[in-house]
Every structure is written in structure tokens, then in C-alpha cells.
Amino acid sequence: MINLGLMIALSFSLMVEAQESKEVLTQPDISSSVSQETSSAAQPKREVSLEDRADIFMARKAYADAVDYYQRAMRQGRASDAGLWNKLGIAYQQQLNYKAARQAYKKAIKFTKTYAEAWNNMGTTYYLQNKPKKSIRYYRQAIKLNPTSASFHVNLGTSLYKRKKIPEALEEYRTALALDPNVMTDRSSVGTVLQAQGADPKFYFYLAKVFASLGRPAEAVRYLRRAFEDGFSDQKQLDEDPDFQKISEYPAYVELRNNPPVPIKD
């Protein structure tokens, strides 16, 4: 189980991809960006481009070098390439340079106003600077442009949760899981869920509630166990919640309720 304290997904997709990411951070496919060794001498190698090299540096977490090579690629006639600007923004963001990241995302949006990934990424910069209210605007715009991106809905849900808009947040999580059943539990096709903040027992309770409402008792039990371990103790709330009543006869749930784990103290 990955740590879902509070989540964001950062978008690292190319313009030719009709999807988001992650958060939600979707790593570039280096195997397709860089020519591979083959057993056939007749097959020529493709020259490694400046963007390819930057992608390699991103994969190595050498973000300053990635910034350098993305900028070099722009100087070679690609200054209006929205995809490059989005990648540059992510490289800056990985260095925690949110101001430079936003400037890059704004450039991406300037050159392609319908670039949903850049709108999403702009939102993450505000969320990570503890400005969830401002991030919501950007996530909603990203969803307007690409409503089928699960990671966008996760991001919006996370900001709504931070704003204590619990019913709205849970609905966004349900929408995300309907679009991509693994978006909160694994690397999905649209991004990677990243830890943004520490544990929150009520958050894990609500996440378990979402899975219970969707008829996924195994995940519900997993996150409810985490809620107990982090200090959740409201048994009455569990008893009265209609979503948990749906899994009340699931053996692992019955066992967990009868023998809840002792909270883990820091």
C-alpha cells in the first residue's frame, strides 16, 4: 500500500498524448526516447535529441541538467513548444522552484490554451505551497479540458479535502476510481499518486469509505486498518455509516472491527 497521506498527481505527458500526468508525475518513456542497441547492424541508430537527453536527466533526478537541456532544445527553434515548456516546469518544480515552474506552465498554456496537463500542473504548485483554494481553479479547468483524466479528479479531490469540503472531495475520488480503478493504489496510465503531506487518520477513514461505497471491500479494509493505526477510534461513526454497512459481513472487515490494531505512535 502506498502512502496516501494527501495526494497530488503531476502531469508529465507529451502533447501527442491524450491524457494527463500524475500527478499526478508520469515519467517519460526513456526506452522509446533513446535509440536502443539492436542485433541488426542494418538498423541505424536514431540521434539522441536535446529533449531526449533532458528526459534522461529527469529520470536520473538530475533536474538542473534537465532544465539546461530543455532550454537548449527551445533555443533550437522550439520556443513555442508547449510540451517542452510543461516539462521545463516540472523540472523546476522538482527543484521546489515553484515560481519558475509556474512561469513555464503559463508559457505552455499561452502556446496551447487547451493543454490540460499544464493547467493541472499549475494547480499542484499552489497546492504544494498550501494554497488549496487557488489550486482548485486550475484543477477544474484541467478537468473541463479533459474530464476523463483520473489524476485530475484525484488532485481536485485532495484540494477539496484540504478545504474540508468532504462530500465533494469523496465524489471526486469516486469519479477518479471509476475512470482508473488503480489511480489511488498503483501507477496508473495517467500519472503517479505522490505523497504531499503526512498521515491523517480521518483521510484514511474517508478513503476506506470511498472503496466500501464502490464495492471494493479489500481496499476498504486496507485503508481502514491504516486509519486505526494512525489513531482513528470512532466506532460509532463506522456503525452508522451506510457505506461500511455494505461490507459488514466481509470476513476481513469483521475481523478488523473485532480486533482493531493498536495505534502506532511516532
Side-chain angles (χ1 to χ4, degrees):
M1 179 177 67
I2 61 175
N3 191 333
L4 294 177
L6 282 177
M7 307 171 297
I8 64 163
L10 190 59
S11 303
F12 199 117
S13 65
L14 300 176
M15 286 302 294
V16 296
E17 297 172 344
Q19 45 84 17
E20 166 245 311
S21 200
K22 150 111 70 209
E23 193 194 351
V24 100
L25 178 61
T26 298
Q27 295 291 353
D29 185 355
I30 300 303
S31 64
S32 63
S33 297
V34 182
S35 57
Q36 301 294 302
E37 295 291 341
T38 68
S39 59
S40 173
Q43 183 174 353
K45 294 181 180 179
R46 181 174 67 84
E47 182 180 354
V48 180
S49 70
L50 292 172
E51 181 180 3
D52 291 336
R53 293 184 185 279
D55 289 345
I56 292 170
F57 282 124
M58 286 294 293
R60 293 175 179 170
K61 300 184 179 180
Y63 303 122
D65 291 319
V67 166
D68 180 31
Y69 274 86
Y70 286 136
Q71 290 175 333
R72 290 190 193 188
M74 289 176 185
R75 289 196 292 269
Q76 289 193 351
R78 298 181 62 187
S80 60
D81 187 321
L84 271 181
W85 281 106
N86 185 57
K87 288 185 175 185
L88 178 62
I90 291 172
Y92 278 128
Q93 189 162 340
Q94 293 295 344
Q95 295 175 294
L96 306 184
N97 188 343
Y98 298 120
K99 181 178 180 180
R102 278 195 285 269
Q103 290 173 344
Y105 296 143
K106 286 178 181 178
K107 283 282 191 178
I109 293 168
K110 174 184 176 181
F111 292 120
T112 304
K113 290 183 172 55
T114 57
Y115 196 177
E117 289 81 3
W119 284 97
N120 172 75
N121 290 348
M122 184 80 81
T124 67
T125 67
Y126 288 113
Y127 178 84
L128 290 170
Q129 290 189 301
N130 200 30
K131 298 177 181 178
K133 182 177 181 180
K134 198 163 187 175
S135 71
I136 287 171
R137 171 199 165 194
Y138 292 95
Y139 294 147
R140 290 197 188 281
Q141 180 63 22
I143 290 171
K144 181 179 179 180
L145 293 168
N146 182 8
T148 63
S149 169
S151 292
F152 293 173
H153 288 281
V154 169
N155 284 354
L156 177 57
T158 299
S159 285
L160 290 168
Y161 179 84
K162 189 76 169 179
R163 295 277 296 160
K164 302 187 184 304
K165 298 179 181 295
I166 305 302
E168 295 175 61
L170 300 190
E171 187 57 36
E172 291 300 324
Y173 291 148
R174 290 189 185 95
T175 299
L177 286 163
L179 291 166
D180 180 353
N182 295 320
V183 71
M184 291 184 179
T185 56
D186 202 349
R187 186 181 176 92
S188 74
S189 62
V190 292
T192 299
V193 175
L194 305 176
Q195 179 182 344
Q197 291 193 19
D200 175 353
K202 258 308 181 64
F203 172 79
Y204 287 102
F205 164 80
Y206 285 122
L207 191 57
K209 174 180 168 67
V210 167
F211 280 110
S213 73
L214 296 174
R216 296 173 60 172
E219 290 98 332
V221 168
R222 188 190 317 171
Y223 291 111
L224 184 58
R225 179 179 300 279
R226 176 60 190 270
F228 282 133
E229 290 173 346
D230 284 352
F232 180 81
S233 60
D234 193 340
Q235 298 288 346
K236 182 179 179 182
Q237 186 174 6
L238 275 173
D239 291 335
E240 296 176 350
D241 192 292
D243 291 322
F244 287 105
Q245 290 173 8
K246 295 176 183 178
I247 64 169
S248 61
E249 297 182 5
Y250 183 67
Y253 177 77
V254 174
E255 173 62 22
L256 181 62
R257 291 298 308 275
N258 290 335
N259 298 286
V262 176
I264 300 173
K265 297 182 179 180
D266 295 333

